[in-house]
Amino acid sequence: MLGFFVRRIMVMIPTLLAISAITFVIIQLPPGDYLTTLVTELESRGEAIDQSRLQFLRETYGLDKPMIEQYFVWLGGMLTGDYGYSFEYNRPVADVVGDRMLLTIVVSFATIIFIWVVSFPIGIYSATHQYSLGDYGLTFLGFLGLATPNFLLALVLLYFANVMFGTSIGGLMDPVYMDAPWSWGKMVSVLEHLWIPVIVIGTSGTAGMIRRLRANLLDELHKQYVVTARAKGLSPARVLWKYPLRMAINPFISDIGNLLPQIVSGAAVVSIVLSLPTTGPMLLDALRSQDMYLAGSFLMFLALLTVVGVFLSDVALAMLDPRIRLEGGANR
């Protein structure tokens, strides 16, 4: 196991270096830079900008240096905890991301709990009651959840929440608490608004997880060891919980690699529709304005979470399922 850990960590390092280089190059591919975008925006308003100040800003932010030099400056800063300076927000990247991180984690963590709590019992029921009326009904709802666009469901729930409960449209809290310090009233307001993004973001994930769990569990229930356990007189519940379910929850464990970056990034499209102050819309704005340090640092953070999440899911799968080996090939 120790050798497995060491090998995986040694693979993670060059992987992250390659991702950092590709990320920085892609961000730099569009012509111009943030200052070019800023000048274009000012000219569209009929405003002018002093060229001497423009050159000063270009030298201050290091935008006059070659791309390879900018990359190594950015990479060296990240290794020392300096993620750069956001041009658009005029603040350090760490401060910009930190403002939205808490609410993003709250929304995403609640969504993950919603997906697991809803999909787990429904998937088990559908597999153990195959082709029953309940299975057909839940299957129909699952396909409906997969087919419904998140932004459309968001608009419907916004209208429903406003008409039925009087909840203010958009955001994660009432406008009066927007810039106020945390208090009991602010927490209650967040909880009142939280159920809409949780249902919207979690609907497609829940439907997909139900289908995967049902398919995996059905595959396990038809295997020879389950037939043998039933023939020996074990109760259906014991037969289900002892081995088949344990093997069938692999999709839940393997999803850890996707869950960690999702907790931080959130659903960008839904966040825009619902006016959520999360990190997803911030990343899109940074990419549009070519705020390279903000966009690059955030994308690298997501890459780090993905690599770590895949590592954790591999270890958990190897411990959960004895059929998954840490070493390549079969040991004889």
Side-chain angles (χ1 to χ4, degrees):
M1 182 68 78
L2 180 60
F4 172 75
F5 288 164
V6 173
R7 286 194 301 273
R8 289 304 304 270
I9 292 175
M10 294 303 294
V11 170
M12 289 165 59
I13 295 174
T15 300
L16 290 173
L17 289 175
I19 292 174
S20 69
I22 294 173
T23 298
F24 196 84
V25 170
I26 291 177
I27 293 175
Q28 295 278 30
L29 281 180
D33 49 35
Y34 173 76
L35 294 180
T36 305
T37 305
L38 178 62
V39 170
T40 303
E41 183 179 350
L42 291 176
E43 289 178 347
S44 65
R45 299 182 201 164
E47 302 178 17
I49 185 171
D50 187 11
Q51 291 299 320
S52 60
R53 174 162 179 75
L54 187 64
Q55 182 61 29
F56 172 76
L57 291 174
R58 198 176 297 278
E59 294 174 358
T60 301
Y61 293 137
L63 299 177
D64 59 332
K65 299 177 181 178
M67 181 174 27
I68 186 68
E69 187 175 347
Q70 294 182 38
Y71 167 71
F72 281 109
V73 170
W74 172 64
L75 182 63
M78 283 199 302
L79 295 176
T80 59
D82 180 11
Y83 302 104
Y85 198 81
S86 172
F87 307 143
E88 186 172 0
Y89 292 90
N90 292 319
R91 297 169 60 192
V93 169
D95 294 342
V96 175
V97 176
D99 290 344
R100 297 170 177 251
M101 188 67 70
L102 176 60
L103 291 176
T104 303
I105 292 176
V106 169
V107 173
S108 300
F109 186 74
T111 303
I112 292 170
I113 297 299
F114 172 81
I115 291 174
W116 283 28
V117 168
V118 174
S119 61
F120 198 82
I122 293 179
I124 295 175
Y125 177 86
S126 294
T128 54
H129 297 75
Q130 188 181 17
Y131 303 136
S132 66
L133 184 61
D135 181 30
Y136 282 125
L138 294 172
T139 299
F140 172 76
L141 291 178
F143 286 133
L144 189 63
L146 287 172
T148 304
N150 284 346
F151 69 88
L152 179 60
L153 182 59
L155 295 174
V156 172
L157 287 182
L158 279 178
Y159 175 80
F160 176 78
N162 183 259
V163 172
M164 299 297 294
F165 301 106
T167 304
S168 59
I169 295 179
L172 273 177
M173 62 192 73
D174 292 327
V176 67
Y177 294 112
M178 196 64 65
D179 297 320
W182 282 98
S183 61
W184 177 252
K186 187 172 183 176
M187 291 178 60
V188 171
S189 180
V190 170
L191 293 176
E192 289 177 350
H193 291 74
L194 186 62
W195 66 273
I196 299 178
V198 166
I199 293 177
V200 171
I201 300 172
T203 298
S204 59
T206 301
M209 187 65 73
I210 290 173
R211 303 307 301 165
R212 281 182 288 168
L213 179 59
R214 178 183 183 276
N216 279 17
L217 189 54
L218 281 174
D219 183 57
E220 293 294 329
L221 289 174
H222 288 89
K223 289 186 176 178
Q224 191 63 43
Y225 71 90
V226 178
V227 177
T228 303
R230 287 171 177 166
K232 289 184 176 181
L234 292 179
S235 64
R238 184 173 177 80
V239 171
L240 175 66
W241 289 94
K242 184 64 176 178
Y243 292 112
L245 185 59
R246 180 183 173 189
M247 300 299 104
I249 62 174
N250 284 355
F252 289 82
I253 305 302
S254 61
D255 267 359
I256 294 177
N258 295 324
L259 290 180
L260 288 183
Q262 285 177 5
I263 288 177
V264 176
S265 64
V269 175
V270 175
S271 298
I272 293 173
V273 174
L274 296 178
S275 301
L276 302 181
T278 55
T279 52
M282 179 200 66
L283 175 60
L284 291 179
D285 291 338
L287 292 172
R288 280 198 297 261
S289 63
Q290 293 182 271
D291 194 345
M292 61 181 186
Y293 293 124
L294 176 58
S297 299
F298 192 75
L299 290 174
M300 275 305 301
F301 186 50
L302 294 181
L304 175 63
L305 290 177
T306 302
V307 171
V308 172
V310 171
F311 171 74
L312 294 177
S313 64
D314 287 347
V315 173
L317 284 172
M319 297 174 62
L320 179 70
D321 192 343
R323 298 172 299 180
I324 299 176
R325 300 180 183 274
L326 301 180
E327 304 287 345
N331 295 330
R332 299 184 182 274

